[in-house]
Amino acid sequence: MATLLDGRKLSATIQEELTEEVKKLKVASGKTPHLAAILVGNDGASETYVASKVKRCEEVGIQSTLIRLEENITEQTLLYKIEELNANPAIDGFIVQLPLPTHISEQRVIEKIDYRKDVDGFHPINIGRMAKNLPAYIPATPFGILQMLERYKIPTSGKHCVVIGRSNIVGSPMSILMARNTSVGNCTVTLCHSRTQNLSDYTKKADIIIIALGKPAFLTADMVKEEAVVIDVGITRVPDSSKKSGYALKGDVKFEEVAEKASYITPVPGGVGLMTVTSLLYNTLLAAKKEIYK
Ligand code: NAD
């Protein structure tokens, strides 16, 4: 039976460390880190994510400002708002919650953010610097996974890592990070996606599988080799009348059967999701301390 990679426990530990760091910064410089978040429209999942980011900021002593904008605002208005945040010295870092309404270009929005305040790590400058192994903000979900692998002391050097899904926010950066010449890294990486043929030929040979596609229970035990490390990024809401919310959160892994075979596995919920917010707080602290960019 696999050991659980417990995102709840680990994020609580890192959160305590962050709280201490924030306190130290305040004592040393009188500065309180400040994160702003822009939320456009009323998408249910986005509301939940942003609310959890704001709450977790409060818990570690990071100041947060939530800017809500109407679903039908123009792209230009959003870009002006971003320029204001770029120019505001009181804001250390900020995020624009994705997805955006379809009439707004995500790419133009991301590129408008000052890369030095881009604590989500989505700006092409941060992605490029990450790829070159230069100091950069690393996107929160991949960063959270790196932290998990590091803190659980999971060997990665020389291992075969299969990443499933090639999104800009998870799969693609993850594949770059796992191949870098860094202590968590040095893997031989295979990036699989919707056009991959015979996916299980790859997954069956993987020492580490990181799956981010959004299809509940997609990865089954017959696709996984004995003792593999399995990281489940997927979060899908499925209707569940037994829950107060009316839905349950499901990962991309058929947990019960894969856990029998794997050496380590993340649960959903209670795995990668919590680490993601922790990493955003971490990046905000780095921004306040000007550790990545002066
Ligand atoms: P996405 O939804 O943008 O894209 C899905 C990816 O899966 C695509 O790259 C596609 O090529 C690939 N794919 C689709 N069908 C496939 C198949 N049959 N075989 C192999 N690959 C296939 O990706 P995303 O934004 O990274 O989201 C993926 C999942 O991760 C979603 O459930 C999302 O909610 C979740 N997510 C979780 C967190 C977290 O903090 N835990 C963060 C971001 C995303």
Side-chain angles (χ1 to χ4, degrees):
M1 189 68 183
T3 301
L4 212 59
L5 295 169
D6 188 339
R8 191 161 280 131
K9 215 160 117 188
L10 185 53
S11 62
T13 305
I14 297 176
Q15 190 157 320
E16 273 175 32
E17 295 168 8
L18 287 174
T19 309
E20 274 310 302
E21 288 288 315
V22 170
K23 265 191 209 146
K24 273 194 215 156
L25 182 69
K26 279 184 200 169
V27 171
S29 67
K31 185 172 173 50
T32 301
H34 192 166
L35 173 76
I38 299 181
L39 175 61
V40 182
N42 308 302
D43 175 71
S46 294
E47 292 261 1
T48 314
Y49 292 139
V50 169
S52 126
K53 289 169 188 175
V54 168
K55 179 169 164 279
R56 299 271 304 277
C57 275
E58 275 170 26
E59 287 171 7
V60 299
I62 291 178
Q63 189 182 346
S64 64
T65 299
L66 174 57
I67 298 154
R68 305 186 74 110
L69 300 171
E70 296 290 332
E71 174 89 20
N72 59 5
I73 58 145
T74 62
E75 182 178 304
Q76 197 53 52
T77 308
L78 177 56
L79 295 178
Y80 285 145
K81 197 77 220 164
I82 291 171
E83 279 176 2
E84 268 175 44
L85 293 175
N86 285 342
N88 183 347
I91 303 290
D92 295 302
F94 66 98
I95 62 164
V96 179
Q97 184 65 41
L98 303 179
L100 289 167
T102 47
H103 67 280
I104 298 176
S105 155
E106 261 178 31
Q107 201 45 42
R108 276 194 291 272
V109 165
I110 288 170
E111 291 194 23
K112 187 54 113 181
I113 298 172
D114 182 335
Y115 66 92
R116 291 163 299 191
K117 294 192 176 189
D118 168 42
V119 285
D120 255 343
F122 295 160
H123 192 285
I125 291 182
N126 279 310
I127 300 285
R129 290 178 61 93
M130 177 195 75
K132 292 193 77 177
N133 209 355
L134 293 169
Y137 294 115
I138 294 175
T141 302
F143 190 17
I145 294 170
L146 291 187
Q147 295 259 333
M148 215 167 205
L149 294 169
E150 185 176 9
R151 303 266 181 146
Y152 275 89
K153 297 190 169 49
I154 293 175
T156 58
S157 181
K159 304 291 181 191
H160 180 204
C161 175
V162 168
V163 178
I164 308 173
R166 59 178 161 186
S167 70
N168 289 329
I169 60 171
V170 187
S172 293
M174 200 69 240
S175 67
I176 294 168
L177 289 162
M178 293 305 282
R180 291 195 317 182
N181 185 1
T182 45
S183 72
V184 177
N186 282 315
C187 283
T188 304
V189 176
T190 307
L191 179 57
C192 298
H193 46 74
S194 53
R195 302 288 178 94
T196 299
Q197 295 183 5
N198 305 322
L199 180 68
S200 61
D201 286 354
Y202 302 97
T203 56
K204 274 192 225 165
K205 291 191 190 125
D207 302 305
I208 301 169
I209 300 176
I210 302 173
I211 178 161
L213 80 158
K215 295 188 178 168
F218 179 89
L219 191 81
T220 48
D222 58 316
M223 298 169 78
V224 176
K225 84 172 180 189
E226 291 286 344
E227 298 294 304
V229 175
V230 179
I231 309 281
D232 188 354
V233 185
I235 302 180
T236 307
R237 288 178 171 199
V238 297
D240 183 341
S241 55
S242 71
K243 304 268 181 203
K244 217 165 79 189
S245 59
Y247 63 83
L249 298 180
K250 295 284 175 205
D252 289 340
V253 176
K254 202 162 190 183
F255 184 86
E256 298 74 21
E257 59 176 57
V258 174
E260 293 287 330
K261 236 173 155 182
S263 56
Y264 290 91
I265 191 165
T266 57
V268 177
V272 172
L274 292 162
M275 294 297 296
T276 295
V277 184
T278 308
S279 300
L280 175 66
L281 303 181
Y282 199 109
N283 277 345
T284 305
L285 179 65
L286 291 176
K289 289 166 92 174
K290 303 221 178 305
E291 283 202 6
I292 307 268
Y293 302 109
K294 296 296 163 215

